[in-house]
């Protein structure tokens, strides 16, 4: 179990500890992309995840979760090096698509690996705690990546190669993981994307609570997810480029707190949990109305809440998945996740065309209030989890 956790936490940290994280969006804009085009970059990344779900599921079932993740990491290295050698719209599109494919491997293979590994070497009841700690290490990695903006005086090339080293270390963490048996076979055949989605959706529809919790989890992690836009937002509220990393450092530090201690609230009453969703929406609206450096503390509270809520809901979702269908259901989850992500990126991009990212933030806050109402009126009544 100790070896498993070392590999999981190590991968979670180094996979996210990329010094280019706070500056690659700025790098893209400095090379000709406007606000709307920047939003399309994240949509293209999501398309890469969605369109590759069929091959990803096949490769995962055939090669196993560990080696599938290795392929994904190599795609990430290809993406960020390509941006360095081909810094134009075409290079950014190809790189973001490859990065999206890597995200698909992580969502299907790594998340399944974590759950299966805990079930084999530990106790399923520990999953919420381990999930929270894994997410914490991820957030710490992203937060420390914020220092990449301080190192830009050394050049984007240096930041890129430092990020490549971090990815290589993450691959070493995968290698040290103990063997986790899966139902792989040479007789496994590739499932067409349409059939894969239909199969997974049929499984979810047979378990109504699984479907409800999955949809709620997807809405919670996508609507308030501004991580990819934090650097441009920081510039807009008046933070200099060399210090713009402070914004993700602070907000993801708050997210880390929410994830780290979420497991302590596993038995939280549904009504209170869903009410906090409304609190996230209200905080987004308040920040959008003030929209200055001093109001970042409001967003800090929102990040702490929504990352904590997501950790609890995702844990419940994983517990509900039938073990033999985990890879298929997670493929459906990942596909829907990135469909919603594309929609949210589109909303953020359109909001920015009004003249400021603040309008996008206010719109997202209003959507969170709608989700809160749906969860309180429908999910809590149809699928009571903790009374």
């Amino acid at each position: 179990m100790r070896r498993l956790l070392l590999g999981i936490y190590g991968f979670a940290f180094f996979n996210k500890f990329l010094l280019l994280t706070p500056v690659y969006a700025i790098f893209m804009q400095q090379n000709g992309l406007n606000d709307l085009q920047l939003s399309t970059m994240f949509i293209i990344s999501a398309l890469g995840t969605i369109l590759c779900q069929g091959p990803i599921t096949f490769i995962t079932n055939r090669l196993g979760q560990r080696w599938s993740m290795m392929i994904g990491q190599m795609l990430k290295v290809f993406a960020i090096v390509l941006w360095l050698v081909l810094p134009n719209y075409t290079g950014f599109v190809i790189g973001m698509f490859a990065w999206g494919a890597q995200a698909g491997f992580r969502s299907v293979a790594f998340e399944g690996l974590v759950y299966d590994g805990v079930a084999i070497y530990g106790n399923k009841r520990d999953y919420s705690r381990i999930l929270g700690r894994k997410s914490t290490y991820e957030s710490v990695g992203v937060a420390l990546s914020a220092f990449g903006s301080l190192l830009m005086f050394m050049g984007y090339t240096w930041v890129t190669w430092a990020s490549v080293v971090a990815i290589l270390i993450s691959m070493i963490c995968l290698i040290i993981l103990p063997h986790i048996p899966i139902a792989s076979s040479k007789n496994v055949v590739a499932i067409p994307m349409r059939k894969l989605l239909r199969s997974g959706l049929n499984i979810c529809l047979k378990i109504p609570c699984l479907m409800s919790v999955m949809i709620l989890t997807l809405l919670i992690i996508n609507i308030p997810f501004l991580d990819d836009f934090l650097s441009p937002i920081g510039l807009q509220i008046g933070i200099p480029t060399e210090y713009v990393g402070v914004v993700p450092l602070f907000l993801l530090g708050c997210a880390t707190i929410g994830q780290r201690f979420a497991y302590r609230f596993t038995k939280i009453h549904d009504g209170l949990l869903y009410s906090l969703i409304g609190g996230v929406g209200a905080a987004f609206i308040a920040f959008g109305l003030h929209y200055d450096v001093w109001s970042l503390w409001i967003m800090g509270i929102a990040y702490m809440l929504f990352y904590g809520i997501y950790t609890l809901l995702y844990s419940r979702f994983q517990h509900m998945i039938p073990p033999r269908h985990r890879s298929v259901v997670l493929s459906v989850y990942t596909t829907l996740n990135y469909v919603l992500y594309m929609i949210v990126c589109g909303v953020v991009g359109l909001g920015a065309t009004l003249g400021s990212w603040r309008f996008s933030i206010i719109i997202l806050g209003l959507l969170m209030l709608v989700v809160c109402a749906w969860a309180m009126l429908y999910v809590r009544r149809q699928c009571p989890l903790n009374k």
Side-chain angles (χ1 to χ4, degrees), residues 6-18 66 69-70 72-74 76-77 102 110 163-177:
L6 179 63
I8 289 174
Y9 296 154
F11 175 84
F13 175 80
F14 285 104
N15 181 54
K16 295 291 186 177
F17 181 51
L18 305 180
R66 185 206 323 250
M69 284 302 304
M70 298 288 278
Q73 296 306 93
M74 287 187 284
K76 182 181 280 191
V77 170
Q102 182 275 338
F110 186 58
S163 300
V164 169
V165 171
I167 296 172
L168 295 177
I169 296 174
S170 76
M171 296 171 72
I172 294 174
C173 294
L174 291 173
I175 293 174
I176 69 173
L177 285 168

Side-chain angles (χ1 to χ4, degrees), residues 203-214:
I203 294 169
C204 294
L205 289 171
K206 291 177 181 178
I207 311 174
C209 276
L210 174 62
M211 177 63 82
S212 296
V213 174
M214 180 175 72

Side-chain angles (χ1 to χ4, degrees), residues 216 220 274-279 367-378:
L216 183 59
I220 294 302
Y274 300 153
S275 296
L276 293 175
I277 297 173
L367 289 175
M368 286 297 285
L369 294 181
V370 174
V371 173
C372 172
W374 175 69
M376 292 289 287
L377 298 176
Y378 179 79

Side-chain angles (χ1 to χ4, degrees), residues 76-97:
K76 182 181 280 191
V77 170
F78 166 76
I80 64 178
V81 172
L82 179 65
W83 295 340
L84 185 63
V85 300
L86 193 64
N88 55 34
Y89 190 83
T90 300
F92 295 147
V93 167
I94 297 173
M96 289 301 285
F97 189 89

Side-chain angles (χ1 to χ4, degrees), residues 39 74 77 79 89 98 112 124 135 156 180 182 197 213 265 293 302 315 317 348 368 387:
S39 295
M74 287 187 284
V77 170
Y89 190 83
K124 286 185 179 181
S135 299
Y156 188 79
I180 299 174
I182 63 168
L197 288 175
V213 174
F265 302 93
V293 175
S315 176
F317 165 64
V348 172
M368 286 297 285
K387 299 182 180 179

Side-chain angles (χ1 to χ4, degrees), residues 22-42 87-89 92 156 228-236 241 244 349 352 357:
V23 296
Y24 76 89
I26 297 173
F27 177 76
M28 289 179 177
Q29 290 196 305
Q30 289 177 343
N31 282 273
L33 269 62
N34 58 37
D35 290 345
L36 186 58
Q37 287 176 323
L38 180 62
S39 295
T40 64
M41 288 297 105
F42 303 122
N88 55 34
Y89 190 83
F92 295 147
Y156 188 79
D228 295 321
F229 297 93
L230 292 180
S231 294
I233 289 172
L235 289 178
Q236 205 169 73
T241 301
V244 76
W357 297 108

